[in-house]
């Protein structure tokens, strides 16, 4: 089992920045990828960004150039730096860890961007 815990959400004005963090405990070896999804009210959960154990990153088109994912696999932490935030970025952000073909999810952290 892997237990991710997110932190760093909050309320910010449009154009501002936030940094989300996610730390995992439990069986934390052989993590093949980590990342972030988000879910806005009334919408499906969507990919935001991922990073593999080899450092390859992938971003949703809507956040490219504004968000940066980074991870310290040895420390089993993953970060999401969010700049130039927009009201449409408002959502609950979930981190996940992929291990053995199974995604382990955190409880989520709320990000609210006011206009």
């Amino acid at each position: 089992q892997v237990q991710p815990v997110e932190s760093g959400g909050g309320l910010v004005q449009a154009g501002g920045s936030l940094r989300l963090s996610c730390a995992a405990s439990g069986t934390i070896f052989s993590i093949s990828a980590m990342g972030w999804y988000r879910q806005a009210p009334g919408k499906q959960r969507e990919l935001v960004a991922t990073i593999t154990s080899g450092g390859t990153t992938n971003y949703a088109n809507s956040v490219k150039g504004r968000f940066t994912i980074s991870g310290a696999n040895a420390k089993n932490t993953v970060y999401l730096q969010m700049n130039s935030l927009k009201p449409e970025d408002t959502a609950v952000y979930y981190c996940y860890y992929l291990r053995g073909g199974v995604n382990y999810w955190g409880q989520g952290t709320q990000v609210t961007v006011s206009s």
Side-chain angles (χ1 to χ4, degrees), residues 18-78:
L18 282 175
R19 187 188 194 216
L20 305 183
S21 302
C22 183
S25 60
T27 308
I28 56 176
F29 57 88
S30 299
I31 301 295
S32 55
M34 304 175 285
W36 296 88
Y37 277 67
R38 68 186 180 187
Q39 187 166 19
K43 295 187 178 181
Q44 290 188 329
R45 191 174 294 192
E46 63 175 2
L47 170 73
V48 178
T50 63
I51 184 168
T52 68
S53 57
T56 300
T57 58
N58 183 47
Y59 295 91
N61 287 334
S62 59
V63 307
K64 282 182 182 177
R66 300 187 298 122
F67 291 11
T68 303
I69 189 171
S70 60
N73 204 31
K75 297 183 179 179
N76 294 292
T77 53
V78 59

